[in-house]
């Protein structure tokens, strides 16, 4: 989570409850630059997480939001203030209080009886957090039972490398098609970004969209009749930012996806200089396969 977020690899996840994601809070010894070595580094880490600069990778955020997920904090107790900060960020910003099955914390036997009661009560109110207050042996026995019920533990899946990032720009009237495109790209080796999926209430939308466009590999514009009618809309600003970014990218970057025939007088002049492709709802899968092939070939050329 250091430096430019384009240098931070995305997570390639199986999505299976039997293949848990292991995230090292203090980094990993295999990558010394990722280790937190002082309290100052820890504070910087927490500030970055809370302020989302850089934000969590979209693939990780979606994985954390999936229903049926459970989280196990190993080696950290909720009596430690910095873990409470991280738990608060995860529970609220990722809306885990609505979607997560449980968050299991370490035994609270080290606290006084009154502190234990208050802590358990605090985490039982307003969230779906499970505070494990058993001895370690009892906890491990219960954990083993739950893992067995879910099919056991599978070997770690080797990372497949970063997926190309794709920013989807669209008129609000085309929200259903944009969501369909998002889901299809997510299944097709890409890391798509869609404002309805990634933006949360209270966030600086303008800055977040600028940041995402600055880090994306491709910008797809749903070129629809609804878009052509947008003479004063935020989607026009997204297109302007994408066109500016395209000046510094070699090869395909901004790709208009035309969904229907558009009369010459209704066309968006700013999109005329880019090679458009079709994405007809009636032939969605066929047209999308061509778009995917184009982007994958281009991405491979970029990373030779």
């Amino acid at each position: 989570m250091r430096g430019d977020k384009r240098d931070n690899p995305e997570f390639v996840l199986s999505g299976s409850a039997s293949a848990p994601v292991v995230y090292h809070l203090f980094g990993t010894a295999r990558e010394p630059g990722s280790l937190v070595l002082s309290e100052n580094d820890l504070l910087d880490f927490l500030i970055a997480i809370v302020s989302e600069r850089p934000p969590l990778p979209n693939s990780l955020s979606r994985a954390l939001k999936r229903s049926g997920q459970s989280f196990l904090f190993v080696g950290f107790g909720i009596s430690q203030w910095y873990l409470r900060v991280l738990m608060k960020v995860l529970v609220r910003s990722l809306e885990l209080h609505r979607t997560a099955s449980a968050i299991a914390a370490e035994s609270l036997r080290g606290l006084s009886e009154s502190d234990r009661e208050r802590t358990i009560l605090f985490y039982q109110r307003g969230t779906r957090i499970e505070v494990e207050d058993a001895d370690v042996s009892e906890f491990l026995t219960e954990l083993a039972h739950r893992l067995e019920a879910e099919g056991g533990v599978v070997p770690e899946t080797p990372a497949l490398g970063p997926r190309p990032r794709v920013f989807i720009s669209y008129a609000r009237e085309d929200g259903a098609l944009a969501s369909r495109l998002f889901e299809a790209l997510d299944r097709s080796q890409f890391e798509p970004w869609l404002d309805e999926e990634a933006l949360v209430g209270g966030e600086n939308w303008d800055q977040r969209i600028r940041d995402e466009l600055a880090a994306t590999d491709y910008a797809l514009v749903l070129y629809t009749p609804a878009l052509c009618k947008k003479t004063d809309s935020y989607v026009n600003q997204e297109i302007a930012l994408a066109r500016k970014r395209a000046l510094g990218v070699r090869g395909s970057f901004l790709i208009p996806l035309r969904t229907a025939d558009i009369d010459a007088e209704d066309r968006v002049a700013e999109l005329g200089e880019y090679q458009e492709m079709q994405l007809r709802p009636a032939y969605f899968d066929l047209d999308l396969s061509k778009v995917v092939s184009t982007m994958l070939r281009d991405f491979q050329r970029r990373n030779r």
Side-chain angles (χ1 to χ4, degrees):
M1 300 301 294
R2 289 173 178 255
D4 192 315
K5 64 179 178 180
R6 285 173 289 184
D7 298 329
N8 295 316
E10 290 291 347
F11 293 80
V12 180
L13 306 174
S14 65
S16 171
S18 60
V21 178
V22 178
Y23 179 75
H24 298 271
L25 174 63
F26 289 154
T28 169
R30 294 190 298 272
E31 299 179 16
S34 70
L35 295 173
V36 175
L37 302 177
S38 69
E39 185 173 87
N40 186 58
D41 292 324
L42 173 59
L43 290 172
D44 287 341
F45 174 80
L46 291 175
I47 291 171
I49 292 294
V50 172
S51 64
E52 294 192 333
R53 290 185 176 274
L56 294 176
N58 294 332
S59 54
L60 176 60
S61 297
R62 287 198 303 277
L64 296 176
K65 290 181 179 179
R66 288 173 183 164
S67 60
Q69 291 273 60
S70 292
F71 296 88
L72 172 64
F73 288 80
V74 181
F76 302 92
I78 58 177
S79 58
Q80 296 167 309
W81 66 270
Y82 48 84
L83 184 62
R84 293 200 297 272
V85 171
L86 286 174
M87 289 180 67
K88 186 72 171 182
V89 170
L90 289 174
V91 168
R92 293 302 180 189
S93 67
L94 299 176
E95 298 184 340
L96 299 182
H97 57 297
R98 299 177 181 176
T99 61
S101 299
I103 298 180
E106 291 177 287
S107 172
L108 304 177
R109 297 300 173 91
L111 301 178
S112 66
E113 187 64 29
S114 60
D115 286 343
R116 284 177 59 222
E117 291 179 358
R118 283 196 297 267
T119 301
I120 293 174
L121 177 63
F122 176 80
Y123 281 102
Q124 285 178 342
R125 297 185 61 183
T127 62
R128 301 176 63 185
I129 296 178
E130 174 182 336
V131 179
E132 269 307 330
D133 197 26
D135 290 329
V136 173
S137 59
E138 297 176 30
F139 172 76
L140 292 177
T141 299
E142 175 63 20
L143 179 62
H145 288 327
R146 296 190 187 190
L147 284 175
E148 184 178 358
E150 293 288 351
V153 178
V154 298
E156 181 180 355
T157 302
L160 300 178
R163 302 192 295 174
R165 295 175 181 240
V166 181
F167 184 98
I168 302 173
S169 183
Y170 64 101
R172 291 291 167 230
E173 294 84 347
D174 300 316
L177 180 59
S179 295
R180 185 181 181 185
L181 176 60
F182 174 91
E183 294 170 359
L185 289 173
D186 192 39
R187 296 191 300 266
S188 303
Q189 307 177 53
F190 292 92
E191 183 61 36
W193 193 92
L194 186 69
D195 54 7
E196 284 193 357
E197 294 286 339
L199 290 172
V200 297
E203 191 170 8
N204 185 335
W205 285 35
D206 184 72
Q207 187 58 51
R208 180 66 184 277
I209 287 176
R210 288 175 181 271
D211 290 343
E212 290 297 332
L213 273 170
T216 196
D217 296 299
Y218 300 95
L220 301 182
V221 178
L222 288 182
Y223 197 176
T224 68
L227 178 74
C228 296
K229 298 177 182 178
K230 297 294 183 181
T231 57
D232 186 6
S233 175
Y234 198 87
V235 68
N236 294 327
Q237 183 175 346
E238 291 179 356
I239 293 174
L241 291 171
R243 293 180 66 218
K244 183 177 180 180
R245 172 79 199 288
L247 296 176
V249 180
R250 182 176 298 173
S252 300
F253 174 74
L254 196 162
I255 305 176
L257 301 181
R258 183 168 51 80
T259 63
D261 292 334
I262 301 174
D263 294 334
E265 62 270 19
D266 295 329
R267 284 182 165 270
V268 179
E270 290 78 7
L271 297 177
E273 60 187 277
Y274 303 98
Q275 183 65 43
E276 64 185 48
M277 301 187 70
Q278 289 184 319
L279 188 66
R280 299 161 295 180
Y283 304 94
F284 182 87
D285 293 336
L286 175 63
D287 290 347
L288 180 66
S289 66
K290 298 177 182 178
V291 176
V292 166
S293 296
T294 296
M295 290 192 294
L296 287 178
R297 288 196 303 269
D298 183 80
F299 192 72
Q300 290 171 355
R301 285 196 296 268
R302 294 186 195 180
N303 293 277
R304 284 175 181 172

Short mmCIF file of all heavy atoms in Angstrom, two decimals, residues 254-285:
data_model
loop_
_atom_site.label_atom_id
_atom_site.label_comp_id
_atom_site.label_asym_id
_atom_site.label_seq_id
_atom_site.Cartn_x
_atom_site.Cartn_y
_atom_site.Cartn_z
N LEU A 254 -8.82 5.14 -24.54
CA LEU A 254 -10.22 5.54 -24.48
C LEU A 254 -10.95 4.84 -25.62
O LEU A 254 -10.63 5.05 -26.80
CB LEU A 254 -10.35 7.05 -24.58
CG LEU A 254 -11.69 7.67 -24.17
CD1 LEU A 254 -11.53 9.17 -23.92
CD2 LEU A 254 -12.77 7.47 -25.24
N ILE A 255 -11.91 4.01 -25.26
CA ILE A 255 -12.65 3.24 -26.26
C ILE A 255 -14.14 3.51 -26.12
O ILE A 255 -14.75 3.09 -25.13
CB ILE A 255 -12.38 1.73 -26.11
CG1 ILE A 255 -10.88 1.43 -26.15
CG2 ILE A 255 -13.12 0.95 -27.20
CD1 ILE A 255 -10.55 -0.02 -25.90
N PRO A 256 -14.75 4.23 -27.06
CA PRO A 256 -16.21 4.40 -27.03
C PRO A 256 -16.89 3.10 -27.44
O PRO A 256 -16.52 2.49 -28.44
CB PRO A 256 -16.46 5.51 -28.07
CG PRO A 256 -15.12 6.13 -28.34
CD PRO A 256 -14.12 5.03 -28.13
N LEU A 257 -17.86 2.68 -26.66
CA LEU A 257 -18.61 1.46 -26.96
C LEU A 257 -20.00 1.87 -27.43
O LEU A 257 -20.87 2.23 -26.63
CB LEU A 257 -18.70 0.57 -25.71
CG LEU A 257 -17.36 0.10 -25.13
CD1 LEU A 257 -17.61 -0.78 -23.91
CD2 LEU A 257 -16.52 -0.64 -26.17
N ARG A 258 -20.21 1.83 -28.75
CA ARG A 258 -21.48 2.28 -29.32
C ARG A 258 -22.53 1.18 -29.19
O ARG A 258 -22.33 0.06 -29.61
CB ARG A 258 -21.28 2.68 -30.78
CG ARG A 258 -22.53 3.22 -31.46
CD ARG A 258 -22.19 3.87 -32.80
NE ARG A 258 -21.40 3.00 -33.64
CZ ARG A 258 -21.90 2.00 -34.37
NH1 ARG A 258 -23.21 1.75 -34.33
NH2 ARG A 258 -21.12 1.25 -35.12
N THR A 259 -23.64 1.53 -28.59
CA THR A 259 -24.69 0.54 -28.32
C THR A 259 -25.78 0.52 -29.38
O THR A 259 -26.58 -0.41 -29.40
CB THR A 259 -25.33 0.82 -26.94
OG1 THR A 259 -25.97 2.10 -26.99
CG2 THR A 259 -24.28 0.80 -25.85
N ALA A 260 -25.85 1.56 -30.22
CA ALA A 260 -26.90 1.64 -31.24
C ALA A 260 -26.45 2.60 -32.33
O ALA A 260 -25.46 3.32 -32.17
CB ALA A 260 -28.22 2.12 -30.62
N ASP A 261 -27.16 2.63 -33.44
CA ASP A 261 -26.85 3.58 -34.50
C ASP A 261 -27.14 4.99 -34.00
O ASP A 261 -28.15 5.25 -33.34
CB ASP A 261 -27.69 3.28 -35.74
CG ASP A 261 -27.29 1.96 -36.40
OD1 ASP A 261 -26.13 1.55 -36.22
OD2 ASP A 261 -28.15 1.35 -37.05
N ILE A 262 -26.22 5.92 -34.32
CA ILE A 262 -26.37 7.31 -33.88
C ILE A 262 -26.25 8.21 -35.10
O ILE A 262 -25.27 8.12 -35.86
CB ILE A 262 -25.30 7.67 -32.84
CG1 ILE A 262 -25.41 6.75 -31.61
CG2 ILE A 262 -25.43 9.13 -32.41
CD1 ILE A 262 -24.30 6.95 -30.60
N ASP A 263 -27.22 9.05 -35.31
CA ASP A 263 -27.20 9.97 -36.44
C ASP A 263 -26.01 10.92 -36.32
O ASP A 263 -25.58 11.26 -35.21
CB ASP A 263 -28.50 10.78 -36.50
CG ASP A 263 -29.70 9.90 -36.82
OD1 ASP A 263 -29.50 8.83 -37.45
OD2 ASP A 263 -30.83 10.28 -36.42
N ALA A 264 -25.52 11.35 -37.47
CA ALA A 264 -24.33 12.19 -37.50
C ALA A 264 -24.50 13.47 -36.68
O ALA A 264 -23.58 13.90 -35.97
CB ALA A 264 -23.98 12.54 -38.94
N GLU A 265 -25.68 14.07 -36.76
CA GLU A 265 -25.88 15.34 -36.04
C GLU A 265 -25.97 15.15 -34.52
O GLU A 265 -25.85 16.11 -33.76
CB GLU A 265 -27.15 16.03 -36.54
CG GLU A 265 -28.43 15.25 -36.32
CD GLU A 265 -28.76 14.35 -37.50
OE1 GLU A 265 -27.84 14.06 -38.30
OE2 GLU A 265 -29.94 13.97 -37.62
N ASP A 266 -26.18 13.91 -34.07
CA ASP A 266 -26.31 13.65 -32.63
C ASP A 266 -25.02 13.15 -32.00
O ASP A 266 -24.92 13.01 -30.78
CB ASP A 266 -27.41 12.60 -32.38
CG ASP A 266 -28.78 13.10 -32.77
OD1 ASP A 266 -29.00 14.33 -32.67
OD2 ASP A 266 -29.62 12.28 -33.17
N ARG A 267 -24.01 12.89 -32.82
CA ARG A 267 -22.78 12.30 -32.29
C ARG A 267 -22.01 13.28 -31.39
O ARG A 267 -22.14 14.50 -31.54
CB ARG A 267 -21.87 11.85 -33.44
CG ARG A 267 -22.34 10.55 -34.08
CD ARG A 267 -21.40 10.10 -35.18
NE ARG A 267 -21.65 8.71 -35.53
CZ ARG A 267 -21.04 7.67 -34.97
NH1 ARG A 267 -20.13 7.89 -34.02
NH2 ARG A 267 -21.32 6.44 -35.33
N VAL A 268 -21.21 12.71 -30.49
CA VAL A 268 -20.37 13.50 -29.59
C VAL A 268 -19.06 13.78 -30.30
O VAL A 268 -18.27 12.84 -30.56
CB VAL A 268 -20.13 12.74 -28.27
CG1 VAL A 268 -19.24 13.57 -27.35
CG2 VAL A 268 -21.46 12.40 -27.59
N ALA A 269 -18.82 15.03 -30.62
CA ALA A 269 -17.64 15.38 -31.42
C ALA A 269 -16.35 14.95 -30.73
O ALA A 269 -15.40 14.52 -31.39
CB ALA A 269 -17.64 16.89 -31.67
N GLU A 270 -16.30 15.06 -29.39
CA GLU A 270 -15.07 14.75 -28.66
C GLU A 270 -14.68 13.28 -28.76
O GLU A 270 -13.52 12.92 -28.53
CB GLU A 270 -15.23 15.14 -27.18
CG GLU A 270 -15.28 16.63 -26.92
CD GLU A 270 -16.63 17.24 -27.25
OE1 GLU A 270 -17.58 16.47 -27.57
OE2 GLU A 270 -16.75 18.47 -27.20
N LEU A 271 -15.63 12.41 -29.10
CA LEU A 271 -15.32 10.99 -29.21
C LEU A 271 -14.99 10.57 -30.64
O LEU A 271 -14.61 9.43 -30.88
CB LEU A 271 -16.52 10.15 -28.72
CG LEU A 271 -16.88 10.31 -27.24
CD1 LEU A 271 -18.12 9.48 -26.90
CD2 LEU A 271 -15.71 9.91 -26.35
N GLY A 272 -15.10 11.51 -31.57
CA GLY A 272 -14.89 11.19 -32.97
C GLY A 272 -13.48 10.77 -33.31
O GLY A 272 -13.27 10.07 -34.30
N GLU A 273 -12.49 11.18 -32.54
CA GLU A 273 -11.09 10.87 -32.86
C GLU A 273 -10.66 9.50 -32.35
O GLU A 273 -9.51 9.10 -32.56
CB GLU A 273 -10.18 11.94 -32.28
CG GLU A 273 -10.25 12.07 -30.77
CD GLU A 273 -9.44 13.25 -30.26
OE1 GLU A 273 -8.22 13.11 -30.08
OE2 GLU A 273 -10.06 14.32 -30.03
N TYR A 274 -11.54 8.79 -31.66
CA TYR A 274 -11.18 7.50 -31.09
C TYR A 274 -11.87 6.36 -31.84
O TYR A 274 -13.01 6.51 -32.30
CB TYR A 274 -11.55 7.45 -29.60
CG TYR A 274 -10.90 8.55 -28.81
CD1 TYR A 274 -11.61 9.72 -28.51
CD2 TYR A 274 -9.58 8.46 -28.39
CE1 TYR A 274 -11.01 10.75 -27.80
CE2 TYR A 274 -8.97 9.48 -27.69
CZ TYR A 274 -9.69 10.63 -27.41
OH TYR A 274 -9.09 11.65 -26.73
N GLN A 275 -11.18 5.24 -31.93
CA GLN A 275 -11.72 4.07 -32.62
C GLN A 275 -12.79 3.42 -31.75
O GLN A 275 -12.50 2.86 -30.71
CB GLN A 275 -10.60 3.06 -32.90
CG GLN A 275 -11.05 1.84 -33.68
CD GLN A 275 -11.52 2.20 -35.09
OE1 GLN A 275 -10.88 2.99 -35.77
NE2 GLN A 275 -12.62 1.58 -35.51
N GLU A 276 -14.04 3.54 -32.18
CA GLU A 276 -15.13 3.00 -31.37
C GLU A 276 -15.36 1.53 -31.70
O GLU A 276 -14.97 1.03 -32.75
CB GLU A 276 -16.41 3.80 -31.60
CG GLU A 276 -16.96 3.73 -33.01
CD GLU A 276 -18.16 4.63 -33.20
OE1 GLU A 276 -18.10 5.81 -32.78
OE2 GLU A 276 -19.16 4.16 -33.79
N MET A 277 -16.00 0.85 -30.75
CA MET A 277 -16.38 -0.55 -30.94
C MET A 277 -17.85 -0.70 -30.57
O MET A 277 -18.42 0.15 -29.89
CB MET A 277 -15.50 -1.46 -30.06
CG MET A 277 -14.01 -1.36 -30.34
SD MET A 277 -13.03 -2.59 -29.45
CE MET A 277 -13.51 -4.10 -30.32
N GLN A 278 -18.44 -1.79 -31.02
CA GLN A 278 -19.85 -2.01 -30.74
C GLN A 278 -20.04 -2.75 -29.41
O GLN A 278 -19.24 -3.61 -29.03
CB GLN A 278 -20.49 -2.83 -31.86
CG GLN A 278 -20.65 -2.09 -33.17
CD GLN A 278 -21.38 -2.92 -34.21
OE1 GLN A 278 -21.15 -4.12 -34.34
NE2 GLN A 278 -22.28 -2.29 -34.94
N LEU A 279 -21.13 -2.40 -28.73
CA LEU A 279 -21.58 -3.15 -27.57
C LEU A 279 -23.10 -3.11 -27.57
O LEU A 279 -23.73 -2.42 -26.78
CB LEU A 279 -21.03 -2.56 -26.26
CG LEU A 279 -21.30 -3.42 -25.02
CD1 LEU A 279 -20.55 -4.75 -25.09
CD2 LEU A 279 -20.93 -2.68 -23.74
N ARG A 280 -23.68 -3.86 -28.51
CA ARG A 280 -25.12 -3.88 -28.68
C ARG A 280 -25.74 -4.80 -27.64
O ARG A 280 -25.33 -5.95 -27.49
CB ARG A 280 -25.47 -4.37 -30.08
CG ARG A 280 -24.92 -3.47 -31.20
CD ARG A 280 -24.89 -4.21 -32.53
NE ARG A 280 -23.95 -5.34 -32.49
CZ ARG A 280 -23.72 -6.14 -33.52
NH1 ARG A 280 -24.35 -5.93 -34.67
NH2 ARG A 280 -22.87 -7.15 -33.41
N PRO A 281 -26.71 -4.31 -26.88
CA PRO A 281 -27.32 -5.15 -25.84
C PRO A 281 -27.82 -6.48 -26.37
O PRO A 281 -27.72 -7.51 -25.68
CB PRO A 281 -28.47 -4.27 -25.34
CG PRO A 281 -28.00 -2.86 -25.57
CD PRO A 281 -27.22 -2.93 -26.86
N ALA A 282 -28.35 -6.51 -27.59
CA ALA A 282 -28.87 -7.76 -28.15
C ALA A 282 -27.75 -8.74 -28.50
O ALA A 282 -27.99 -9.95 -28.61
CB ALA A 282 -29.72 -7.47 -29.38
N TYR A 283 -26.53 -8.23 -28.69
CA TYR A 283 -25.39 -9.09 -29.02
C TYR A 283 -24.27 -8.84 -28.01
O TYR A 283 -23.09 -8.80 -28.37
CB TYR A 283 -24.89 -8.79 -30.44
CG TYR A 283 -25.96 -8.95 -31.50
CD1 TYR A 283 -26.70 -7.85 -31.92
CD2 TYR A 283 -26.24 -10.19 -32.06
CE1 TYR A 283 -27.69 -7.98 -32.89
CE2 TYR A 283 -27.23 -10.33 -33.03
CZ TYR A 283 -27.94 -9.22 -33.43
OH TYR A 283 -28.92 -9.36 -34.39
N PHE A 284 -24.64 -8.69 -26.78
CA PHE A 284 -23.71 -8.25 -25.73
C PHE A 284 -22.49 -9.16 -25.65
O PHE A 284 -21.34 -8.69 -25.69
CB PHE A 284 -24.43 -8.19 -24.38
CG PHE A 284 -23.57 -7.70 -23.26
CD1 PHE A 284 -23.44 -6.34 -23.00
CD2 PHE A 284 -22.87 -8.60 -22.46
CE1 PHE A 284 -22.64 -5.88 -21.96
CE2 PHE A 284 -22.07 -8.15 -21.42
CZ PHE A 284 -21.95 -6.79 -21.17
N ASP A 285 -22.70 -10.46 -25.51
CA ASP A 285 -21.57 -11.38 -25.31
C ASP A 285 -20.63 -11.39 -26.52
O ASP A 285 -19.40 -11.39 -26.35
CB ASP A 285 -22.09 -12.80 -25.05
CG ASP A 285 -22.82 -12.91 -23.71
OD1 ASP A 285 -22.53 -12.08 -22.82
OD2 ASP A 285 -23.67 -13.81 -23.57
#
